Amino acid sequence: MSIAVYVLVMAVVTYLIRMLPFTFFRKKLTSKFWLSFLHYIPYAVLSAMTIPAIFEATGSMVTAVVGTAVALVMAYFELPLIAVALGAAASAFIAGLFIK
Amino acid sequence: MKKEFLKGMSHGIPIMLGYLSVSFSFGIMAVGKGISPLWTSLISLTNLTSAGQAAGVDIIVAAGSLIEMILVQITINMRYSLMALSLSQKLDKRFTTPHRLAASYGITDEIFAVCAAQETPLTPAYMYGMILIATIGWVMGTVMGAVAGQLLPASVTSVMGLMLYGMFIAIVVPPCKKERGVLAVSLGAIAMSLLFKYVIKGIPSGFVIMICAVAASAVGAVLFPVQDEGGAS
């Protein structure tokens, strides 16, 4: 099968998943439960995506743990997103120099 | 209108920088598995998602069926439906149907997270500015990884995978300090995610994220209901 078919199917399915609720859901929710649920969803999604996957992100558990710890501390002090991201990668890189 | 667009662009810059590194590693990975640099870049341009693209490349390489492709994409990307639903609650009146159809393209984890944290209603111009900058980062990173990835030492490319997660941590931690509910929901989602990783194995990762997020948020909504419209954020 041509790669074009695969890519087209991937793209269309991914678009529909985003587009259908965004375009056709017009009601303003008033239920306290649903408002709270939607308020919590992003944090729950990001937390579940990050842990434990982050520990396998560098191919070395030690460097990944160092990067995670640095990111947690920097995030606690509310540094900008990009600073935290770079801090995680840089500290893991430096840790990698030591364990070799 | 122009001001909103520029504001969206500036809010998109950290996303773009994060995307550059993540899509760079996607580019290396896809080309390494035998997809041409051109198709690798087209996949990034048309999909704008990390986990779904990585899984899609595996199916293409394995010559899997289209049914498998559809099911895997739905499972991994279903979280975007929840995000789209959440964002639909805070759209400005200017968000007419054509704008909704267009902006849907750019609902990613990071764009969602930044948009969800805005206190004012979202305008089309704001989202377009952010989506434009983020997409440039995602596609440029893919092109560079696909073409030049092999030139970088492995010690550098391996730690670049941490950048995206670092950004997620930077989004989640500050509200955890202010809201007990966010802290409880995040810890609950992490506990479940660990359970699926080490105890109840074999469920596809996209599905695991959905289950963890829905269960933790539902329990959180019951135990820590948000006080007023728009949340306690």
Side-chain angles (χ1 to χ4, degrees):
Chain A
M1 199 161 12
S2 156
I3 186 169
V5 180
Y6 282 115
V7 175
L8 184 72
V9 168
M10 269 170 87
V12 169
V13 171
T14 305
Y15 177 70
L16 289 177
I17 288 168
R18 291 165 163 153
M19 184 274 279
L20 294 174
F22 197 66
T23 305
F24 297 106
F25 194 84
R26 298 296 177 107
K27 238 170 66 183
K28 270 284 170 210
L29 289 172
T30 49
S31 142
K32 192 167 233 179
F33 174 82
W34 288 113
L35 286 173
S36 305
F37 178 80
L38 292 176
H39 175 68
Y40 289 132
I41 275 288
Y43 305 110
V45 168
L46 296 180
S47 299
M49 277 179 78
T50 302
I51 296 176
I54 191 171
F55 300 122
E56 293 175 354
T58 62
S60 150
M61 182 74 113
V62 178
T63 61
V65 168
V66 170
T68 306
V70 168
L72 282 170
V73 172
M74 291 177 77
Y76 185 84
F77 290 105
E78 307 196 14
L79 291 159
L81 299 190
I82 185 61
V84 178
L86 286 170
S91 58
F93 179 77
I94 293 165
L97 298 177
F98 283 98
I99 61 169
K100 264 178 204 152
Chain B
M1 193 71 183
K2 197 179 159 200
K3 216 178 112 202
E4 284 282 303
F5 189 77
L6 292 175
K7 186 176 157 205
M9 284 175 78
S10 76
H11 288 187
I13 289 171
I15 300 178
M16 180 192 77
L17 294 172
Y19 278 4
L20 272 174
S21 61
V22 177
S23 62
F24 190 89
S25 53
F26 170 75
I28 296 173
M29 185 275 285
V31 169
K33 288 182 177 172
I35 312 269
S36 73
L38 177 65
W39 277 110
T40 300
S41 308
L42 283 173
I43 290 172
S44 278
L45 179 64
T46 54
N47 283 263
L48 203 67
T49 177
S50 55
Q53 289 183 197
V57 162
D58 286 339
I59 294 172
I60 294 170
V61 171
S65 69
L66 289 179
I67 296 294
E68 183 186 2
M69 179 66 94
I70 291 168
L71 290 178
V72 165
Q73 294 302 321
I74 289 175
T75 310
I76 294 181
N77 292 333
M78 190 50 87
R79 65 182 188 282
Y80 293 136
S81 285
L82 291 173
M83 297 178 186
L85 199 62
S86 178
L87 288 185
S88 78
Q89 294 299 300
K90 53 184 305 170
L91 298 181
D92 188 86
K93 281 196 293 289
R94 276 169 278 185
F95 247 113
T96 53
T97 299
H99 284 310
R100 287 175 189 240
L101 289 172
S104 304
Y105 160 80
I107 301 172
T108 66
D109 299 311
E110 298 74 19
I111 289 173
F112 165 69
V114 174
C115 286
Q118 294 308 303
E119 276 162 21
T120 51
L122 299 166
T123 59
Y126 176 77
M127 282 193 74
Y128 292 152
M130 188 179 298
I131 291 167
L132 175 69
I133 287 292
T135 305
I136 289 172
W138 188 246
V139 175
M140 287 296 295
T142 307
V143 172
M144 291 191 287
V147 175
Q150 279 81 353
L151 304 176
L152 275 183
S155 58
V156 173
T157 51
S158 70
V159 299
M160 288 176 84
L162 275 185
M163 288 191 65
L164 185 74
Y165 294 117
M167 200 163 105
F168 290 167
I169 289 174
I171 291 170
V172 173
V173 170
C176 282
K177 288 162 58 183
K178 295 172 198 97
E179 292 179 53
R180 268 193 321 157
V182 173
L183 180 63
V185 166
S186 299
L187 291 177
I190 288 168
M192 289 184 62
S193 166
L194 288 167
L195 192 71
F196 279 108
K197 170 78 179 176
Y198 298 107
V199 185
I200 311 168
K201 296 173 187 172
I203 300 170
S205 68
F207 211 53
V208 165
I209 290 163
M210 277 280 291
I211 297 170
C212 296
V214 168
S217 301
V219 173
V222 173
L223 297 181
F224 303 94
V226 170
Q227 288 316 309
D228 17 77
E229 175 91 11
S233 53

